[in-house]
Structures are given as structure tokens and as C-alpha cells.
């Protein structure tokens, strides 16, 4: 049986695209392999948001040269944001990386399938993808972006916004749930723009309602949102729908109006702060994250301090900060001199990281002693790992009781009492009744065990697989 390998670089949308590409390959009879040397097809799914991501893709393609020398029938394909939309750009990429057999759009995995020889093996649809997904899954709901931020290459590579029909998304998620997924993250470059291009014009709130109604799904997240597209209807949906987690990813990018204008971000700092205040007042227990770019061309020390003070005021739960990296073809790269020295960019980036670490510590310490609902995703470094509804990583050990010896918490919804706090994660002990997830119908039995907290008796639901 033929095998494929996918190397994914970049954001969660690329992860979701890789799953779709893998599914298309499996429908032709391929199975996934972790070993590149065993693969008949290798797909490199690229990112070009920053130079480091492009360098990573180039390095992987360089490694594939030796594999291709050993296996002349190896098919090497490239997709993602590094693939230009125009033919001249594609020709230049083929010339730069002769190891590539095919460039294709992530929206058209069938183009890759058409290149491959016919196979007689019986397809094993979803067999290996199931193992790759785990308990959580990413689902792209809208592709492309209609905004033209001066620093961003995404519209040049992903094109204009294209929303997927609600019914198609719901059916995809139902398929994931049947294979054990209990949390989905709805993805889009501008996810809150969802639906405006569809005939019936549903919005993200309508989609959240439809996904919330899927039986067997426990949690819903979405990202990334644009401040100008965020509506009160979406905010209320997050507050009212029980499966939608209290988490917003809402990039502001900078704390100075003049820089925002140069970035072609169509809002002011005052607009953003008012929107964030509305979200926080409407959604209890909210976690709000943002993105920041430091060192944008022309950024003065005062303009950077405006950003720093904004972060002090807003106290975001998470801040994803990056130093400006010019992307060829964008307005800022072509028309604005990159005149902030790299050492200054690094200093400003470090200052933001240090500030956010202090703020994160404040949030974490406030959670010590509280009980948090955790969806257990995996074992990591000898401890079970999951996240709170508002996206805080939590670790816990198996309780030191005979009833728990060797117990598998993967895919279970449990209550954890927080004992220790770090800036970026929490540690606690398990308490209460775990909710069980299995693919087949679960037979349960109740038993009485001692709780680690308080030595009180609690019911524990056990699964028979």
C-alpha cells in the first residue's frame, strides 16, 4: 500500500488544510507514515507570514533532495502560503526548488491526487487521519481575506474570502465527532467575516449555533477575529451558547493610531478598547488574546511606548508578539523603508514579552484554589495535559489511589483543583466525575472512590471499551 507524509509549517489553518489533503490521499488508497523515507508522496504545507517560516520550508525541501535521489519515484508536492497564485511566480518557485514535482492550492487537494498514478488498493478513508486528529480538531470555515493590511501577505497568497456552507461544515464536524473529537476550533484569516459571501448570508453566530447543536461535541472555539467585523450578535452567541468557550482572539497589532493607519488597520485604539470592554462585560470569565507587531517601519520610541501602555491597561490574557518582518510583494515591503534596526526590534519584543509574563502570572495566581473544567488532550512529560475553557494549559497526575492505577484520562472532561501556578500553565489534582468519551456506545458503572481533595466520597464513571 502506498504511503504519504505531510510536513506542516505555520498556523492552525495549515494544520486543518493538511488534514483535508491527507483525507483526499487516503481516499485513493494511501496511508499516513511518520517516516519520510517510507513515503511515496511528501507534501510540504508552507507558511510565509514571516521569513523564519519560509526558511523552514526551504530547509525541508533541501532535505528532500537526498530522499529523491534514493527514490526516483518519490512525489514531492508543495502547498500553502508560499505558493504564488500567478503562473510566473510558480515558475520561479519550480526553478528555485527543482525537487518539487507539483505546486497546488490548499483548496484543491484533488489536483495533487490527479498527479498520482492509479491505485488498485482498497481505500481506508480516515484510518490514519483519525490517529492524527486526537481529541481536538481544527476546521477551516472561511478562506482568504478581503483586508489589505500593508504588512500581510495572506491576501496575495490566499485570495479573497470564500466561506464554506454551514451544512458542509456541520457534516465535517459530525464526522470528526464520530471518530472521537470532542472540541473543534473554527478557523479563518478573518473568521468573524464568515458567511457574507454565501447566498443566505449566515454569520459566525449562526454557524456557532449550528455547531453547538451537534450531539457528542463538547467544546467550540474560533479564531482569528478582526475588530471591524466583530458584532454584538457574535459576542452574545459566545455568552449564550453552552459549548462555545469564553475565549476571543482579537488582534490589535499596535497601540498607536498613526502606526495602525500605516498598517492599513481600519480602526483606532479607542474603537478597539471600547469593543474589548463590551466583550468583557458581556461574556463572563472571558479570556482575551491579541497580536502585536513591534518594529513596524517608522515606529518611534514614543509609538512603541503607546503599545506598551495599551498592554498595561488592557491586561490581555495572552499576547502573541512578533518583530516586523518585511514580506516581498506587500505594501510595507515595497513602499516603506524598514528603518527600525533589528537590535531595537529585539529590545521592544523582549520588553513586551516580559510585561506579558508579569500579567500572565497575575491571572494564573488568581486561579490557585479554584476548580477548572479540563478536557484532557494527551500525556505530556509524564503528566496529563488539557486546557480550561478559556484556554489555560493545565497539568495533573494520576491520583495515588488503587482505583486510578493505569487509568486513561485521554478524552475525558474532568474537574481539576488548581494547586500551583506558572505564568503560562497551571498544575492541579483531579476531583469529581469525569465525563467519558468513546467512539462506540459506552456502558458505564458507578463506583465509590475517595476524592483526593477532602477525602470525601464521589462517583466515578468508568468506560468499558
Amino acid at each position: 500500500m502506498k504511503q504519504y507524509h505531510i510536513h506542516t509549517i505555520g498556523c492552525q489553518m495549515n494544520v486543518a488544510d493538511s488534514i483535508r489533503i491527507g483525507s483526499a490521499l487516503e481516499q485513493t488508497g494511501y496511508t499516513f507514515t511518520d517516516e519520510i523515507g517510507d513515503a511515496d508522496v511528501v507534501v510540504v504545507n508552507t507558511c510565509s507570514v514571516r521569513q523564519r517560516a519560509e526558511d523552514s520550508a526551504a530547509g525541508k525541501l533541501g532535505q528532500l533532495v537526498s530522499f529523491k535521489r534514493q527514490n526516483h519515484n518519490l512525489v514531492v508536492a508543495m502547498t500553502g502560503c508560499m505558493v504564488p497564485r500567478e503562473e510566473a511566480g510558480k515558475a520561479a518557485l519550480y526553478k528555485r526548488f527543482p525537487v518539487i514535482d507539483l505546486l497546488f492550492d490548499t483548496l484543491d487537494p484533488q489536483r495533487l491526487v490527479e498527479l498520482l498514478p492509479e491505485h488498485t488498493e482498497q481505500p481506508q478513508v480516515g484510518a490514519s487521519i483519525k490517529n492524527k486528529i486526537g481529541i481536538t480538531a481544527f476546521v477551516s470555515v472561511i478562506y482568504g481575506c478581503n483586508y489589505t493590511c500593508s504588512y500581510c501577505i495572506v491576501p496575495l497568497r490566499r485570495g479573497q474570502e470564500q466561506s464554506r456552507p454551514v451544512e458542509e461544515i456541520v457534516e465535517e464536524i459530525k464526522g470528526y465527532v464520530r471518530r472521537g473529537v470532542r472540541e473543534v476550533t473554527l478557523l479563518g484569516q478573518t473568521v468573524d467575516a464568515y458567511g457574507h459571501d454565501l447566498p443566505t448570508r449566515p454569520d459566525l453566530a449562526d454557524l456557532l449555533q449550528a455547531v453547538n447543536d451537534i450531539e457528542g461535541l463538547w467544546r467550540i472555539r474560533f479564531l482569528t477575529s478582526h475588530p471591524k467585523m466583530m458584532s454584538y450578535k457574535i459576542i452574545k452567541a459566545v455568552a449564550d451558547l453552552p459549548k462555545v468557550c469564553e475565549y476571543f482572539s482579537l488582534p490589535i497589532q499596535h497601540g498607536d493610531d498613526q502606526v495602525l493607519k500605516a498598517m492599513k488597520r481600519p480602526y483606532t485604539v479607542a474603537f478597539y478598547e471600547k469593543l474589548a470592554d463590551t466583550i468583557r462585560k458581556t461574556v463572563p470569565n472571558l479570556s482575551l488574546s491579541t497580536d502585536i507587531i513591534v518594529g513596524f517601519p517608522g515606529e518611534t520610541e514614543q509609538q512603541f511606548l503607546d503599545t506598551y501602555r495599551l498592554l498595561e491597561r488592557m491586561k490581555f490574557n495572552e499576547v502573541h508578539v512578533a518583530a516586523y518582518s518585511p514580506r516581498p510583494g506587500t505594501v510595507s515591503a515595497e513602499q516603506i523603508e524598514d528603518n527600525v534596526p533589528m537590535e531595537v526590534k529585539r529590545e521592544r519584543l523582549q520588553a513586551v514579552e516580559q510585561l506579558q509574563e508579569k500579567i500572565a502570572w497575575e491571572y494564573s495566581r488568581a486561579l490557585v484554589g479554584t476548580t477548572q473544567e479540563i478536557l484532557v488532550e494527551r500525556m505530556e512529560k509524564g503528566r496529563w495535559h488539557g486546557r480550561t475553557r478559556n484556554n489555560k494549559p493545565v497539568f495533573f497526575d494520576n491520583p495515588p489511589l488503587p482505583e486510578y492505577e493505569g487509568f486513561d484520562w485521554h478524552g475525558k472532561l474532568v474537574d481539576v483543583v488548581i494547586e500551583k501556578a506558572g505564568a503560562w500553565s497551571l498544575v492541579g489534582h483531579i476531583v469529581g466525575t469525569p465525563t467519558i468519551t468513546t467512539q462506540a456506545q459506552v456502558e458505564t458503572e458507578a463506583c465509590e472512590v475517595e476524592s483526593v481533595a477532602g477525602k470525601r466520597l464521589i462517583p466515578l464513571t468508568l468506560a468499558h471499551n
Side-chain angles (χ1 to χ4, degrees), residues 33-55:
T33 176
D34 278 316
E35 300 297 329
I36 294 179
D38 295 336
D40 301 279
V41 177
V42 175
V43 179
V44 181
N45 192 355
T46 63
C47 172
S48 60
V49 172
R50 298 186 182 90
Q51 187 60 47
R52 181 181 297 178
E54 288 202 9
D55 292 343

Side-chain angles (χ1 to χ4, degrees), residues 4-255:
Y4 73 91
H5 178 88
I6 301 180
H7 180 76
T8 307
I9 302 166
C11 68
Q12 293 94 333
M13 287 198 73
N14 277 16
V15 174
D17 289 338
S18 290
I19 291 172
R20 290 177 61 250
I21 294 165
S23 181
L25 287 168
E26 291 190 356
Q27 291 179 49
T28 70
Y30 279 78
T31 59
F32 177 81
T33 176
D34 278 316
E35 300 297 329
I36 294 179
D38 295 336
D40 301 279
V41 177
V42 175
V43 179
V44 181
N45 192 355
T46 63
C47 172
S48 60
V49 172
R50 298 186 182 90
Q51 187 60 47
R52 181 181 297 178
E54 288 202 9
D55 292 343
S56 177
K60 178 56 64 176
L61 290 167
Q63 292 175 12
L64 289 173
V65 172
S66 61
F67 285 99
K68 190 135 187 175
R69 286 178 185 149
Q70 298 169 25
N71 178 10
H72 297 296
N73 295 321
L74 175 65
V75 175
V76 176
M78 180 176 176
T79 189
C81 287
M82 275 184 70
V83 177
R85 300 179 70 82
E86 71 283 355
E87 291 304 317
K90 291 179 181 177
L93 208 54
Y94 277 121
K95 185 177 180 180
R96 180 184 174 190
F97 300 108
V99 71
I100 297 174
D101 297 296
L102 174 71
L103 300 171
F104 70 100
D105 193 303
T106 51
L107 292 176
D108 187 20
Q110 193 61 33
R111 179 72 183 90
L112 169 62
V113 172
E114 291 169 358
L115 177 77
L116 306 176
E118 292 183 1
H119 302 289
T120 58
E121 296 92 338
Q122 279 293 108
Q124 296 186 6
V125 181
S128 57
I129 288 295
K130 168 189 167 183
N131 294 329
K132 295 293 289 182
I133 290 178
I135 206 70
T136 64
F138 298 111
V139 179
S140 296
V141 302
I142 180 172
Y143 294 92
C145 184
N146 288 357
Y147 285 98
T148 55
C149 299
S150 62
Y151 55 84
C152 185
I153 200 168
V154 169
L156 300 176
R157 300 293 168 83
R158 294 270 185 173
Q160 295 293 291
E161 291 165 357
Q162 300 177 59
S163 299
R164 299 174 60 197
V166 172
E167 298 78 12
E168 180 182 304
I169 295 166
V170 168
E171 285 305 309
E172 179 179 345
I173 295 173
K174 285 181 177 178
Y176 288 153
V177 171
R178 285 192 293 269
R179 288 166 14 212
V181 167
R182 292 296 174 261
E183 175 184 297
V184 295
T185 302
L186 310 181
L187 301 175
Q189 303 295 340
T190 306
V191 72
D192 46 350
Y194 172 80
H196 71 89
D197 55 329
L198 294 175
T200 58
R201 298 182 68 83
D203 62 9
L204 180 61
D206 298 321
L207 178 61
L208 289 172
Q209 177 66 69
V211 177
N212 187 82
D213 292 339
I214 296 175
E215 187 176 352
L217 184 68
W218 295 344
R219 287 182 173 183
I220 305 166
R221 304 181 190 274
F222 61 93
L223 53 90
T224 300
S225 301
H226 193 290
K228 288 296 285 186
M229 298 304 297
M230 182 56 62
S231 68
Y232 188 70
K233 182 181 176 183
I234 296 172
I235 298 169
K236 275 293 288 176
V238 176
D240 295 341
L241 295 174
K243 296 180 184 179
V244 181
C245 293
E246 300 79 11
Y247 178 81
F248 279 78
S249 173
L250 194 68
I252 187 171
Q253 303 298 4
H254 209 274

Side-chain angles (χ1 to χ4, degrees), residues 45 48 53 89 136-137 140 143 152 260 269 283 317 364 381 431 441 461:
N45 192 355
S48 60
T136 64
S140 296
Y143 294 92
C152 185
L260 287 175
V269 172
V283 182
N317 297 76
S364 293
K381 297 180 180 178
V431 64
Q441 183 177 2
T461 304

